[in-house]
Amino acid sequence: VRNEDTVMQKWMVLILVVLGLVSPLKAYAAPLKLTLTEGVIQPIPYAAPVFVAENRAAEDWSKKITALVVQDLNSSGLFREVSKAKYISQITSFASPVQYSDWKAINVQALVTGAVKISSKDQLVVKFRSYDVFAGQELGDGLQFVGTKDRWRRIAHKVADSLYSRITGESGYFDSQIVYVAEKGPKNARQKALSIMDADGENSRPLTDGKSLVLAPRFSPNGKQILYTSYETGFPRIYLLNLANNRRRVLENQRGTMSFAPRFSPDGGAVVYSVTKAGNTDIYRLVLGSGQSQRLTTAPSIETAPSFSPDGRQIVFESDRSGTQQLYIMPVAGGDPRRISFGKGRYGTPVWSPRGDMIAFTKQSKGRFHIGVMRFDGSEERLLTASFLDEGPTWAPNGRVIMFTRETRGAKGASGLYSIDVSGRNLKPLRTPHGASDPSWSPLGN
């Protein structure tokens, strides 16, 4: 086979995997031996025996870490754990050779083995391997993570991310966080506080006291800062919060104006946001180092919800300049915007995928709200959800999953967070201590 043909075959396989037309392990088990499923993603059957405890102190930790790794993989919708009751082989040592025939017999495609020990410094040491059972080979080399016991969840998430990446070819998203608005109380007197939690809903903690209304928190590209809008002065103002020391400062405080809907540039050096002044709402760009701001739009209409493209060259935003709420793209320095939404209904809250290929948005049509995606040129629009009120999408750091706010119908109007795969599969709620809205996904942890 010529080199060009080999490259083309690899690209064909990759495209089919990303579109969900072929199971990744089956795709790579042999050259172009594809198993098509007519656009339906078939979860990969895998086995994850409890990681071997290499000393007595590690026995409980090995069970907890294995359980969380399995929970992460299952939650993605791309993996299906084969019941441990079906196992023919047992993993009793991390160094033992894999009996591939025993795992093939129960239709396991991917096998995960691991070991946990407590070191002499009282630290967790977690090592693991992954195997393509059908191909009869290990997927890369074994890896090891070391950390303190109080960081066991992060270690487990890192293991799951590594496995996800090795098996699917995409980066993971389990070792990440969500900043959101925690909601308490009745609908007509609801208390809203800024909170942060792990991507699976655990370890939630408040960042503000809930005495002032807060909206639209947004992570910085390095995950160390958060932008948000607060009404503590009586008018909306944009604040920058440093997560390391919980210090904050006002970014924009012009008299007679309201500022809101902030979002970082991909390099973290600038912020785009909306300013309402003299009855008109426009988009501005602020350079954080110098404090200099630039007005990017000048139309006599409402321009808001800006979001940078991953390369930092363009901005997508919503505007009613055409008479209804629609999506537009303009150069980062401003200029003539180009409309990209043309379906029936109203479009808002656009956010660019980390991959740069799609834009997620909220759509209101025929009394229903939807979370949808489209290409950045406006083509291939797809609606992923439909509900009484779905809004405010945010992308997982790998661009595979979208999280959003869903509000239920009724007097109480409870809000919660849901996630869905970009293919429109695997819709599921995220458990939070209280009502929740306005999520923003962090980059992967360091």
Side-chain angles (χ1 to χ4, degrees):
V1 179
R2 296 181 303 169
N3 289 339
E4 309 96 276
D5 294 335
T6 302
V7 171
M8 182 59 70
Q9 289 178 0
K10 290 182 178 179
W11 275 109
M12 287 174 63
V13 171
L14 178 61
I15 291 169
L16 288 166
V17 168
V18 171
L19 291 177
L21 297 177
V22 60
S23 169
L25 282 178
K26 286 186 179 180
Y28 291 104
L32 285 181
K33 187 177 181 181
L34 309 180
T35 303
L36 300 180
T37 58
E38 298 180 356
V40 177
I41 300 175
Q42 297 294 333
I44 299 167
Y46 77 100
V50 175
F51 287 8
V52 175
E54 295 191 325
N55 52 22
R56 181 168 294 181
E59 289 179 357
D60 288 340
W61 295 107
S62 67
K63 294 174 184 176
K64 292 199 297 184
I65 289 170
T66 307
L68 186 51
V69 170
V70 168
Q71 177 183 301
D72 281 348
L73 294 177
N74 291 348
S75 71
S76 72
L78 298 180
F79 299 89
R80 175 178 60 81
E81 185 191 13
V82 174
S83 171
K84 290 178 173 57
K86 296 182 178 180
Y87 289 4
I88 298 172
S89 288
Q90 299 297 325
I91 304 297
T92 57
S93 169
F94 188 68
S96 297
V98 171
Q99 302 298 321
Y100 290 107
S101 59
D102 288 349
W103 300 104
K104 281 183 182 180
I106 57 173
N107 198 35
V108 167
Q109 291 187 30
L111 173 65
V112 178
T113 67
V116 181
K117 72 177 179 180
I118 304 299
S119 71
S120 58
K121 297 181 179 180
D122 203 34
Q123 287 190 310
L124 279 170
V125 180
V126 181
K127 51 189 177 181
F128 68 96
R129 293 190 176 112
S130 54
Y131 302 88
D132 181 341
V133 173
F134 280 35
Q137 62 186 24
E138 186 173 352
L139 296 169
D141 297 326
L143 289 179
Q144 176 175 290
F145 293 110
V146 180
T148 55
K149 293 176 183 177
D150 63 340
R151 293 171 66 85
W152 74 271
R153 293 184 59 84
R154 283 209 63 189
I155 293 174
H157 291 320
K158 287 179 178 293
V159 171
D161 278 332
S162 298
L163 293 169
Y164 182 101
S165 178
R166 288 185 172 190
I167 297 171
T168 70
E170 302 176 344
S171 60
Y173 57 90
F174 306 117
D175 183 30
S176 58
Q177 293 182 299
I178 305 292
V179 63
Y180 68 104
V181 176
E183 303 186 359
K184 299 179 183 178
K187 191 172 184 179
N188 60 353
R190 189 155 293 171
Q191 185 184 60
K192 296 190 176 185
L194 210 63
S195 293
I196 191 171
M197 62 185 172
D198 295 346
D200 59 1
E202 296 294 327
N203 296 327
S204 179
R205 62 182 177 89
L207 297 175
T208 62
D209 57 18
K211 294 180 180 179
S212 303
L213 176 66
V214 293
L215 299 169
R218 300 289 181 256
F219 267 107
S220 64
N222 63 9
K224 297 180 180 180
Q225 295 175 307
I226 291 172
L227 287 168
Y228 67 100
T229 302
S230 174
Y231 279 75
E232 67 179 72
T233 64
F235 295 92
R237 290 283 182 262
I238 297 171
Y239 288 79
L240 179 64
L241 175 68
N242 189 319
L243 288 173
N245 54 25
N246 215 39
R247 292 179 181 174
R248 65 197 185 102
R249 63 186 176 94
V250 180
L251 279 193
E252 206 278 345
N253 197 22
Q254 297 181 38
R255 293 187 64 182
T257 68
M258 295 184 289
S259 56
F260 52 95
R263 198 178 290 271
F264 282 99
S265 63
D267 63 3
V271 174
V272 285
Y273 57 101
S274 289
V275 173
T276 297
K277 184 177 182 179
N280 198 50
T281 302
D282 284 298
I283 293 174
Y284 284 68
R285 179 176 177 267
L286 174 72
V287 178
L288 291 174
S290 65
Q292 293 183 339
S293 63
Q294 175 189 5
R295 184 178 178 181
L296 302 181
T297 62
T298 57
S301 50
I302 298 175
E303 273 77 43
T304 188
S307 173
F308 281 97
S309 61
D311 62 9
R313 296 179 180 179
Q314 300 180 88
I315 295 171
V316 62
F317 63 98
E318 65 178 72
S319 171
D320 63 356
R321 63 179 59 202
S322 65
T324 60
Q325 190 178 6
Q326 301 293 332
L327 304 184
Y328 294 80
I329 288 178
M330 66 179 173
V332 69
D336 292 334
R338 170 173 53 89
R339 180 174 168 178
I340 62 170
S341 61
F342 292 94
K344 294 180 180 180
R346 298 184 177 187
Y347 296 76
T349 65
V351 57
W352 224 301
S353 163
R355 299 181 181 189
D357 57 343
M358 288 189 288
I359 292 170
F361 55 86
T362 302
K363 183 175 182 177
Q364 183 181 6
S365 178
K366 298 179 180 179
R368 303 276 280 175
F369 281 79
H370 310 266
I371 300 299
V373 293
M374 65 172 66
R375 297 294 179 182
F376 61 85
D377 61 1
S379 64
E380 300 182 33
E381 177 181 328
R382 290 185 292 115
L383 300 181
L384 307 180
T385 75
S387 178
F388 166 70
L389 180 56
D390 288 350
E391 62 180 352
T394 181
W395 291 92
N398 69 349
R400 176 80 192 187
V401 180
I402 295 172
M403 189 173 290
F404 60 95
T405 302
R406 171 167 287 185
E407 183 176 315
T408 57
R409 187 190 299 270
K412 293 184 178 180
S415 293
L417 304 184
Y418 283 70
S419 66
I420 191 166
D421 190 275
V422 73
S423 66
R425 298 176 60 258
N426 201 33
L427 173 68
K428 58 188 180 67
L430 183 67
R431 185 182 61 191
T432 55
H434 307 285
S437 63
D438 275 350
S440 175
W441 220 311
S442 79
L444 280 179
N446 298 317

